[in-house]
Amino acid sequence: MTTSSAAALRPPQPVSDSTRWIQLAVGVICMIATANIQYAWTLFVPEIEETYGWSRASIQVAFTLFVIVQTWLAPLEGYFIDKFGPRMMVAFGAVFIGLAWIINSQATTLAGFYVGAAVGGIGVGSIYATCINNAIKWFPDRRGLAVGLTAGGYGAGSAATILPIAAMIESSGFQQTFLFFGILQGSLAFVAAWFLRSPGSSEVRKSSKLMQTTHDYTLKEALSTKLFWLMLVMFVLVVTGGMMAVAQLGVIAKDLGVKEFQVDLHFFVMAALPLALMLDRIMNGISRPLFGWISDHIGREKTMVIAFTLEGCGIIALGYFGSNPYAFLILSGVVFLAWGEVYSLFSALAGDAFGTRHIGKIYGVLYTAKGIGALFVPVGNLMMEATGTWSTVLYTVAIMDLTAALLAITVLRPVLRNHVTYSKSLYAKESAVAQGGALPA
């Protein structure tokens, strides 16, 4: 028996909880430092439009380019993660996220913002994919919670800086805001990068509650399964609506007539849009560990049904009641609560289904669903201009969410069960070969 085979068959050693929770905390810090490139973008769009007179659709192409680069390079980033580990990848990404905002601070043409978006996509993609993969590897027994907390850092990371960014844009202009926060965020992620590492084989253990593979699939093997493509389709269906909401919330608020409404909560007064953005970031961040934790106990597919149904109903209600500023606040929060969990559920399910040895590459390909969804962000503007209402866009997105919920309960569950059963037979054959015995019949 080879040394690697013996290690694979050796009973897992106790997990060092302090070590892995420190690793998780560092990953969350890195994610927080990257969040504003995506989630604060909506604050800059009206300022860029007013300064240069470009159309919304042309400005939002930058957002689409950012997401496409971030997601469609994920398989390549996954290769480098599996090869070089987390430190170098996060440090590399930190340099690029800082550079992206510096480029935006100097841009005077659409092409300049497009270049900044592409550079930012490389930086965020490198950090996001690395931290998610590290959480998947360190916490197979609490994968939903760990990945949810990590992704929550990205989802809620901008909550604390939304108001400072909005205030600085108002007082110093969007160019100076890009420059200051770019340097700040890039530096924070760069320093945190050097504290990251991957777990040793004796530092992890499997979950006893969930269906998890015992075979580490290669990327080629994963792409040959029905489960992978079903997950990709469902991911695209759900992520599309969330991408539209993230990029267009400021525009939707303006068109619904609630952007400047002053919300009086007795102890403070704030305009509806920045308040909604702050609350939405918090809800988005809460949803990822919350639904991840739930999925660790009841299963990924059941949790998907709950979350996707909630999001679909929330989007329908937003389209119907959104012109009321208080309803806008509440319902946008519901939408973000039910959408943010996709980044914890699908990544955790990928680790459950395909193992962790090649998870960087496998989840990298699966994560391209976000890039596909980003292609529909400008389409949302075109649909609104053609119909004269955001309701058409929102109702279309809601149908996609509800379709994904139906697939989760009727198709995903039996496909996942059959997949895990087959993986156990593969593992049994590998174990027999490693021990020098005959293959099982």
Side-chain angles (χ1 to χ4, degrees):
M1 189 186 306
T2 64
T3 302
S4 59
S5 298
L9 297 172
R10 188 183 302 126
Q13 300 300 310
V15 179
S16 174
D17 274 345
S18 61
T19 298
R20 66 178 188 167
W21 284 106
I22 289 172
Q23 287 295 307
L24 185 65
V26 174
V28 171
I29 291 171
C30 293
M31 296 288 259
I32 288 173
T34 69
N36 279 323
I37 290 187
Q38 176 173 332
Y39 289 101
W41 172 252
T42 190
L43 294 176
F44 291 94
V45 172
E47 304 300 323
I48 296 172
E49 180 183 7
E50 182 178 346
T51 301
Y52 297 108
W54 303 321
S55 68
R56 290 177 186 171
S58 63
I59 296 171
Q60 291 291 20
V61 168
F63 184 87
T64 302
L65 285 174
F66 159 75
V67 178
I68 288 175
V69 172
Q70 179 203 357
T71 54
W72 289 3
L73 287 182
L76 179 61
E77 292 158 355
Y79 169 81
F80 287 116
I81 293 167
D82 291 339
K83 185 176 179 64
F84 296 113
R87 288 179 185 169
M88 294 302 298
M89 285 300 295
V90 172
F92 170 83
V95 172
F96 270 67
I97 64 172
L99 181 60
W101 278 47
I102 293 172
I103 292 172
N104 285 343
S105 73
Q106 303 300 313
T108 57
T109 64
L110 281 171
F113 285 103
Y114 296 165
V115 171
V119 172
I122 294 172
V124 173
S126 298
I127 294 175
Y128 188 98
T130 303
C131 293
I132 290 294
N133 278 281
N134 218 37
I136 290 174
K137 291 176 180 178
W138 274 102
F139 287 86
D141 57 324
R142 298 181 180 180
R143 189 168 280 148
L145 175 62
V147 173
L149 287 169
T150 305
Y154 188 74
S158 61
T161 51
I162 283 291
L163 296 182
I165 287 176
M168 190 170 183
I169 290 174
E170 181 69 24
S171 63
S172 304
F174 70 88
Q175 294 96 338
Q176 188 63 29
T177 306
F178 270 132
L179 180 63
F180 175 80
F181 279 92
I183 295 174
L184 176 65
Q185 294 164 162
S187 299
L188 178 61
F190 187 83
V191 172
W194 303 104
F195 293 90
L196 292 170
R197 73 172 179 87
S198 299
S201 59
S202 64
E203 295 181 282
V204 296
R205 60 171 175 262
K206 297 287 185 181
S207 169
S208 60
K209 298 180 180 179
L210 300 175
M211 293 185 290
Q212 292 184 326
T213 183
T214 49
H215 170 71
D216 284 310
Y217 283 74
T218 64
L219 176 60
K220 183 178 179 180
E221 288 174 333
L223 293 177
S224 67
T225 65
K226 294 180 181 178
L227 178 61
F228 179 89
W229 295 105
L230 174 60
M231 290 170 62
L232 182 65
V233 169
M234 292 174 59
F235 204 165
V236 171
L237 287 172
V238 180
V239 81
T240 297
M243 292 298 299
M244 286 186 178
V246 168
Q248 309 284 14
L249 190 62
V251 179
I252 292 173
K254 182 177 180 180
D255 291 344
L256 290 175
V258 301
K259 178 182 178 181
E260 304 296 338
F261 181 84
Q262 297 296 308
V263 180
D264 187 353
L265 298 178
H266 298 294
F267 48 92
F268 73 93
V269 178
M270 185 184 299
L273 178 58
L275 179 58
L277 289 172
M278 184 175 67
L279 293 175
D280 291 346
R281 299 311 179 257
I282 294 172
M283 299 299 283
N284 195 351
I286 291 173
S287 73
R288 303 181 189 206
L290 172 63
F291 283 104
W293 176 81
I294 292 172
S295 74
D296 284 338
H297 292 81
I298 70 172
R300 317 294 182 207
E301 66 281 7
K302 294 179 182 177
T303 309
M304 287 179 178
V305 175
I306 296 170
F308 299 166
T309 301
L310 180 61
E311 184 187 356
C313 295
I315 289 177
I316 291 173
L318 182 63
Y320 192 79
F321 299 107
S323 57
N324 180 297
Y326 292 99
F328 178 83
L329 286 172
I330 295 171
L331 293 172
S332 62
V334 170
V335 169
F336 275 82
L337 175 68
W339 173 66
E341 93 296 326
V342 294
Y343 299 110
S344 58
L345 294 183
F346 283 102
S347 54
L349 180 57
D352 293 343
F354 304 113
T356 59
R357 186 174 181 182
H358 305 285
I359 192 60
K361 294 182 281 290
I362 294 171
Y363 185 63
V365 176
L366 185 64
Y367 190 64
T368 59
K370 185 178 179 181
I372 297 172
L375 295 175
F376 294 95
V377 172
V379 174
N381 282 103
L382 298 176
M383 290 177 63
M384 186 275 173
E385 292 171 3
T387 62
T389 176
W390 282 104
S391 296
T392 305
V393 180
L394 295 175
Y395 293 156
T396 300
V397 168
I399 292 173
M400 297 169 71
D401 292 326
L402 296 175
T403 300
L406 182 63
L407 287 174
I409 195 64
T410 61
V411 182
L412 177 63
R413 195 173 185 182
V415 169
L416 177 61
R417 184 184 299 110
N418 292 337
H419 174 88
V420 171
T421 300
Y422 177 68
S423 78
K424 291 180 179 179
S425 68
L426 289 177
Y427 181 74
K429 293 179 181 179
E430 291 170 349
S431 299
V433 171
Q435 296 177 21
L439 291 176

